[in-house]
Amino acid sequence: MVDDDVDDHEIFMAALENISSDVDLKTAENGLKALQLLRQKAVTPELIFLDINMPLMNGFQFLSELKKQDGLKDIPVIMYSTTSAPEAIEQAKQTGAIDFISKPENFSELELVLQRILYK
Amino acid sequence: MPDEISLNEEQKEIDHGNSRFQKLVEQAPIGICIINAITLVAEILNERFVQVAGKPYKTILGSYYWDTFAEAAPYYETALQDVVDKGVKFTADEVELMLIRDGKPDYINVTFVYDPIKGEDGTTQKVAIWVVENTERVRAQKKIEDNEHALRNIILQAPVAMCIFRGAEFIIEIANEKMFEFWGRGSDDIIGKPVFEALPEAKNQGYEELLSNVFITGDSFTANELPVVLPRNGKRENVFVNFSYEPIREVDNSISGIIAVAIDVTKQVTNRHNIESEVAERTRELAEVNQRLQQNNKELQQFAYIASHDLQEPVRKVFTYTQMLEKNLVAVDERSATYIKKIAAASHKMLALIRDVLSFSQLSREREQFKQVNLADIVENIKNDFELLIEEKQAVIQSKNLPVLAAIPLQMNQLFGNLVSNALKFSKKDTAPVIEITGKTLSKEALSKYKDLNQSLEYYLIQVSDYGIGFNQENADIIFDIFQRLNSTVEYEGTGIGLAICKKIAINHNGNLTARSGLNNGATFNIFLPKSR
């Protein structure tokens, strides 16, 4: 999970734990950090949750970089944000995200969304 | 009888002479009457004389002259007697005379001569009266003089500066006080002088050419608000004048002078210049204020966006953590559970508010794209969005004649979504809501009643009607104000922003949104949208 908001790390973690006991969530607070970890193979994720607004390197910049890297470009990425602005959704798809979710404020809704994604 | 014969011859000679004389008199181009110097009886006269006298030939001939012309006797009897007595010619030149002509008094002008005809002894035998009537000429002359007098009076009394320039030298013949004021000169200095000699400061400003042109061509000249430099109170001042040069034409159409009229409009012109610069200044100020306003507006929108966006995050977390807490607590007493529910409800309400403010602040962003939008599709989408609620309330949504038009798709979704949501929300309890959405073209005549709409565009009118609780018609305007609510939050939840968003969307599209209702009588929302941009 690439997100500068540690609270969201916690919320996502809690939601994921409720869905499955077999989830290992690693976090990075911006795109730059995440790229470093990925290149050093410090993490080898099956799925990346990517926030849009972050300092140093935002979600779109990170995704563009990722797509240039052999060995990394095929990791599925799901972008999310509080916004549901159509242009953000469109840009996410064009940059290569497989899905876009707007962060539901409702916790059980978040669980449902994550469940749908994980068991697709 | 040679003597007799010779006498006869002599008589014949005389008779011949007399008749030749008579003929001469008769054919003379002037009136002639010959009277006996002793008796003053008219002996010979011609037709011309009869015409001037205005009395019958027979009355004059053989009558005592002063019997015939009794009306003139008081004036000329003495003069005639003097001619007889002294043998000296008397001339009356263009005198005015009252004569009874054709039985009526008539004032005429005549020139006449009493001419003594002397005998061999040197005494006056006869008096020849030569007369020419010049009434017409004198009257014409008088008329001209009267006209000129009237013109002079007009000029002197005119409320604007006037003068006459006479002849090719433009001699100032007459000028009124206003003109003297205008020139800044007294009358003594300039009357009778050529204008450019009297007013040397007027030289070389183009007036010579103007005046000459009028004098030569006879075309009048007018100028408005001409800047002129004139001496005023010893100083040279810049003034503005309206003036005209009119040629003065004589009977023979020749031009003998020019009438000049000048109006000092300096005050008006400077006033207007002041007003113009005042207006320009105010317009500039307005533009500045407007720019500041636009800037402020932009900043405010930006602020609303950022504020609501950044506010959203912590509130979202409060809400989410509340739910997580609720889930995590194993045994929770009833009171605590209620508190947790209240925190969740309040933070959820706050989130809804922030989202609405956010979308309201984003409405006027200019990058939104207009596309061809089928409103029927929009309504179908909304039916899908509200599927659960529609089912729950057993609502019926009917639509017909919905047009395709140029609009921002997302905003059309918001507009109709909010209206349908409202109609569902404010339905009567225990009654299945029926919502009708119908479109039609707004006629030119109907359009003219809506002053807020652009009269040069063609509009669709789309009406969204329900049979719900409605509202009091006197609130028909304030329902569109942001945060305005007519109903309690307990009964009908909402943020009070929905209709403000709808109105703003309609206006964004060059249209408008109005409402009609009566309490418990359903509501109809009229959406006016232009057919094209």
Side-chain angles (χ1 to χ4, degrees):
Chain A
M1 178 173 190
V2 190
D3 195 332
D4 58 321
D5 191 328
V6 289
D7 290 337
D8 274 335
H9 295 169
E10 190 178 357
I11 293 168
F12 264 68
M13 192 64 223
L16 286 169
E17 277 170 358
N18 287 345
I19 299 165
S20 158
S21 54
D22 192 24
V23 173
D24 182 15
L25 184 71
K26 296 271 196 270
T27 58
E29 64 238 44
N30 62 54
L32 217 53
K33 269 264 170 68
L35 266 185
Q36 268 175 8
L37 292 172
L38 287 166
R39 280 180 187 147
Q40 293 161 2
K41 306 228 186 278
V43 290
T44 49
E46 289 171 54
L47 181 68
I48 296 175
F49 287 106
L50 177 63
D51 187 21
I52 292 180
N53 294 311
M54 288 177 292
L56 294 175
M57 183 185 269
N58 73 22
F60 294 124
Q61 291 166 329
F62 167 80
L63 188 53
S64 308
E65 284 304 311
L66 191 77
K67 289 292 165 193
K68 290 178 195 160
Q69 303 272 320
D70 282 331
L72 300 179
K73 64 180 178 193
D74 295 326
I75 306 170
V77 174
I78 292 177
M79 288 194 89
Y80 65 89
S81 176
T82 35
T83 178
S84 56
E87 53 266 50
I89 298 171
E90 185 57 34
Q91 198 183 344
K93 290 211 168 128
Q94 277 182 5
T95 321
I98 58 159
D99 206 348
F100 183 97
I101 57 175
S102 56
K103 274 188 262 183
E105 67 269 14
N106 207 316
F107 186 68
S108 42
E109 211 177 304
L110 178 65
E111 287 176 337
L112 278 172
V113 169
L114 293 177
Q115 202 159 22
R116 178 172 61 79
I117 288 166
L118 290 188
Y119 296 102
K120 199 149 69 172
Chain B
M1 300 198 301
D3 278 346
E4 251 188 284
I5 291 166
S6 74
L7 197 73
N8 279 344
E9 286 297 314
E10 205 172 287
Q11 188 62 42
K12 261 189 187 164
E13 201 57 22
I14 291 168
D15 285 353
H16 187 64
N18 270 350
S19 77
R20 262 182 58 197
F21 177 70
Q22 201 123 11
K23 220 167 219 162
L24 232 126
V25 168
E26 271 160 21
Q27 289 168 355
I30 59 171
I32 299 173
C33 177
I34 302 199
I35 57 172
N36 188 299
I38 313 294
T39 61
L40 300 188
V41 167
E43 293 178 340
I44 299 172
L45 66 152
N46 67 359
E47 192 50 38
R48 288 268 174 172
F49 190 86
V50 170
Q51 279 169 7
V52 177
K55 302 168 196 281
Y57 183 87
K58 284 178 181 166
T59 313
I60 306 169
L61 190 69
S63 296
Y64 174 54
Y65 192 73
W66 296 121
D67 276 354
T68 313
F69 295 103
E71 61 272 31
Y75 309 105
Y76 296 107
E77 196 172 3
T78 319
L80 181 58
Q81 199 52 55
D82 271 3
V83 171
V84 173
D85 295 347
K86 296 175 185 160
V88 179
K89 189 159 80 173
F90 170 82
T91 306
D93 195 9
E94 287 189 359
V95 292
E96 191 181 58
L97 196 62
M98 193 279 281
L99 278 189
I100 308 289
R101 289 165 129 188
D102 303 323
K104 286 175 293 198
D106 206 350
Y107 291 86
I108 59 170
N109 294 87
V110 288
T111 294
F112 64 86
V113 177
Y114 296 154
D115 202 357
I117 301 172
K118 292 173 185 165
E120 279 169 9
D121 57 356
T123 60
T124 303
Q125 300 293 310
K126 319 239 181 213
V127 177
I129 301 171
W130 321 92
V131 61
V132 176
E133 181 174 356
N134 18 52
T135 309
E136 291 296 321
R137 204 182 58 74
V138 170
R139 280 190 188 160
Q141 180 67 32
K142 191 167 179 311
K143 205 167 177 185
I144 289 169
E145 281 166 14
D146 283 352
N147 282 347
E148 277 190 2
H149 187 70
L151 180 62
R152 294 176 75 88
N153 274 343
I154 285 170
I155 289 173
L156 289 175
Q157 291 162 15
V160 295
M162 285 181 89
C163 68
I164 289 178
F165 300 132
R166 191 63 77 176
E169 282 196 282
F170 310 119
I171 288 162
I172 304 169
E173 185 179 280
I174 180 171
N176 62 7
E177 269 311 308
K178 288 257 176 203
M179 193 53 111
F180 294 130
E181 251 173 63
F182 188 78
W183 285 327
R185 297 293 173 83
S187 67
D188 296 343
D189 304 346
I190 47 181
I191 291 290
K193 287 187 187 167
V195 63
F196 294 109
E197 197 177 297
L199 305 167
E201 65 273 16
K203 274 188 196 169
N204 301 323
Q205 293 189 47
Y207 297 113
E208 295 92 328
E209 292 77 8
L210 284 179
L211 282 171
S212 297
N213 193 52
V214 175
F215 195 77
I216 293 163
T217 63
D219 296 334
S220 53
F221 174 83
T222 58
N224 283 333
E225 297 181 2
L226 207 78
V228 184
V229 180
L230 286 177
R232 289 286 170 87
N233 312 315
K235 281 184 290 180
R236 286 165 78 82
E237 264 180 40
N238 291 302
V239 296
F240 292 92
V241 286
N242 288 357
F243 72 85
S244 73
Y245 293 148
E246 284 290 335
I248 303 171
R249 286 185 189 276
E250 293 306 311
V251 184
D252 63 358
N253 217 27
S254 66
I255 295 163
S256 67
I258 289 169
I259 296 182
V261 180
I263 303 169
D264 185 339
V265 290
T266 310
K267 247 184 207 159
Q268 290 90 317
V269 172
T270 46
N271 279 352
R272 208 193 53 236
H273 284 175
N274 286 346
I275 288 170
E276 278 168 359
S277 61
E278 183 91 340
V279 166
E281 172 70 7
R282 291 273 175 278
T283 309
R284 201 182 52 75
E285 279 175 16
L286 258 177
E288 249 180 50
V289 170
N290 196 31
Q291 202 175 3
R292 272 209 301 276
L293 254 174
Q294 279 182 358
Q295 185 60 29
N296 283 353
N297 238 343
K298 226 180 206 165
E299 282 169 9
L300 206 65
Q301 260 175 33
Q302 193 70 9
F303 170 77
Y305 176 78
I306 290 167
S308 45
H309 188 266
D310 290 357
L311 277 174
Q312 204 178 358
E313 279 300 294
V315 181
R316 183 178 60 82
K317 284 180 193 165
V318 170
F319 183 64
T320 311
Y321 276 117
T322 310
Q323 289 175 311
M324 285 161 73
L325 176 67
E326 195 180 14
K327 218 167 184 171
N328 233 31
L329 288 172
V330 183
V332 59
D333 61 294
E334 201 176 317
R335 185 174 280 194
S336 300
T338 314
Y339 292 160
I340 288 171
K341 279 205 164 60
K342 291 222 165 170
I343 295 171
S347 50
H348 189 256
K349 172 74 187 290
M350 180 121 185
L351 263 179
L353 259 171
I354 291 168
R355 291 223 172 114
D356 280 354
V357 171
L358 194 61
S359 69
F360 188 80
S361 74
Q362 285 178 294
L363 284 179
S364 3
R365 285 188 308 177
E366 275 153 17
R367 55 203 171 101
E368 299 290 358
Q369 287 298 308
F370 275 74
K371 287 181 186 143
Q372 283 301 110
V373 177
N374 187 344
L375 292 185
D377 292 345
I378 297 281
V379 170
E380 280 313 307
N381 286 344
I382 287 158
K383 279 191 199 169
N384 284 335
D385 291 346
F386 290 100
E387 201 178 352
L388 283 175
L389 195 60
I390 291 170
E391 214 168 292
E392 183 190 313
K393 294 213 169 199
Q394 306 218 311
V396 179
I397 299 178
Q398 298 167 331
S399 61
K400 63 175 179 196
N401 299 330
L402 291 181
V404 177
L405 45 75
I408 301 165
L410 190 73
Q411 293 193 359
M412 286 299 108
N413 251 321
Q414 274 177 293
L415 170 59
F416 285 94
N418 283 343
L419 291 177
V420 168
S421 159
N422 270 358
L424 289 170
K425 192 196 293 178
F426 298 110
S427 58
K428 284 176 183 164
K429 305 251 181 297
D430 319 321
T431 315
V434 176
I435 302 167
E436 287 161 2
I437 307 173
T438 54
K440 65 178 177 191
T441 296
L442 193 65
S443 71
K444 272 263 171 261
E445 196 195 340
L447 175 62
S448 69
K449 288 178 195 153
Y450 298 99
K451 299 289 171 231
D452 291 344
L453 299 179
N454 184 337
Q455 297 296 316
S456 58
L457 291 177
E458 282 185 86
Y459 281 87
Y460 287 117
L461 168 60
I462 299 114
Q463 295 181 298
V464 179
S465 307
D466 62 55
Y467 297 89
I469 62 167
F471 53 86
N472 208 321
Q473 181 61 30
E474 65 191 35
N475 293 324
D477 285 328
I478 66 164
I479 56 169
F480 296 111
D481 293 344
I482 192 161
F483 297 127
Q484 185 67 51
R485 296 179 51 89
L486 298 178
N487 299 289
S488 75
T489 10
V490 180
E491 268 183 290
Y492 299 95
E493 63 175 27
T495 58
I497 303 178
L499 284 178
I501 288 175
C502 291
K503 180 101 171 179
K504 204 167 172 189
I505 288 171
I507 290 170
N508 264 359
H509 285 75
N510 268 327
N512 202 2
L513 174 64
T514 63
R516 277 208 76 77
S517 182
L519 207 51
N520 286 316
N521 233 343
T524 296
F525 287 87
N526 297 313
I527 307 160
F528 300 91
L529 293 172
K531 290 188 173 183
S532 54
R533 295 185 69 200

